[in-house]
């Protein structure tokens, strides 16, 4: 694949990637267009291989959510792949509830098709978007964990005979 044609392929794949989440698009057609037959799809919850399994993952989203909005902030291209930084908003089909997730997607490309699609989610944004749970998480859990981990570190340093020091730059 020549450099110019490689860039065109990467740009086409990156531009088409959000259609995987579009509930009005046929998931099978999009998967066949974007992914190699033996491609792997991974996210923090699972990993599947093969177009039919990837299709099943994205087709299932269309049954659970009535809308999925992908707001792409940045696409970075490099030799053999690209990464996409986006906010993804999932609106449930049955209950009046939505979840916002910050996501980074890394795609590796071979022979003009994606052979590895890896999603990295931001747990904080996922939990924060859940009513009441998100407020408790941000107001109580995160500050408490910060305090407890700091106290544990200070206790460990005291047991070891050391004292944590803060280095001030002049």
């Amino acid at each position: 694949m020549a450099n110019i044609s490689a860039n065109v392929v990467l740009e086409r794949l990156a531009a088409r990637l959000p259609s995987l989440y579009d509930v009005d698009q046929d998931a099978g057609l999009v998967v066949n267009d974007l992914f190699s037959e033996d491609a792997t799809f991974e996210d923090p919850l699972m990993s599947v291989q093969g177009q039919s399994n990837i299709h099943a993952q994205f087709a299932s989203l269309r049954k659970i959510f009535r809308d999925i909005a992908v707001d792409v902030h940045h696409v970075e291209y490099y030799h053999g792949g690209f990464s996409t930084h986006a906010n993804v908003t999932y609106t449930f089909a049955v209950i009046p509830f939505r979840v916002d997730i910050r996501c980074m997607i890394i795609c590796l490309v071979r022979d003009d098709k994606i052979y590895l699609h890896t999603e990295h989610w931001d747990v904080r944004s996922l939990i924060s978007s859940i009513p009441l749970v998100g407020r408790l998480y941000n107001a109580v859990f995160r500050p408490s964990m910060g305090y407890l981990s700091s106290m544990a570190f200070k206790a460990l340093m005291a047991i070891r005979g050391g004292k944590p020091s803060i280095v001030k730059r002049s």
Side-chain angles (χ1 to χ4, degrees), residues 8-167:
V8 170
V9 167
L10 293 177
E11 289 172 6
R12 181 188 73 79
L13 293 171
R16 183 98 163 95
L17 191 67
S19 63
L20 272 172
Y21 304 86
D22 187 339
V23 297
D24 295 324
Q25 296 268 335
D26 182 307
L29 293 176
V30 177
V31 168
N32 288 336
D33 182 41
L34 295 177
F35 291 91
S36 65
E37 287 186 28
D38 63 341
T40 300
F41 170 79
E42 300 175 335
D43 71 18
L45 299 177
M46 56 84 210
S47 175
V48 296
Q49 187 169 11
Q51 281 183 345
S52 66
N53 292 321
I54 295 169
H55 169 252
Q57 295 301 314
F58 286 96
S60 69
L61 293 177
R62 287 148 173 80
K63 302 295 182 193
I64 300 168
F65 304 102
R66 73 175 151 87
D67 186 53
I68 303 171
V70 178
D71 182 16
V72 176
H73 297 288
H74 177 71
V75 178
E76 193 170 324
Y77 301 97
Y78 46 88
H79 180 72
F82 61 92
S83 62
T84 300
H85 300 261
N87 282 352
V88 184
T89 302
Y90 298 87
T91 305
F92 284 88
V94 179
I95 57 176
F97 181 67
R98 74 175 206 207
V99 175
D100 297 308
I101 300 175
R102 273 193 320 221
C103 184
M104 180 177 68
I105 302 168
I106 299 172
C107 293
L108 300 181
V109 176
R110 178 178 54 226
D111 299 327
D112 299 347
K113 297 278 191 170
I114 297 169
Y115 71 90
L116 178 61
H117 172 131
T118 306
E119 291 186 2
H120 301 273
W121 301 341
D122 176 31
V123 174
R124 179 181 175 189
S125 64
L126 173 63
I127 295 172
S128 293
S129 67
I130 302 170
L132 188 59
V133 172
R135 287 182 187 227
L136 288 171
Y137 175 74
N138 285 313
V140 178
F141 180 79
R142 291 186 67 236
S144 297
M145 287 304 294
Y147 177 77
L148 291 172
S149 64
S150 293
M151 298 311 315
F153 175 73
K154 291 174 184 175
L156 180 63
M157 291 302 292
I159 291 169
R160 297 184 73 195
K163 181 178 176 186
S165 62
I166 297 175
V167 177

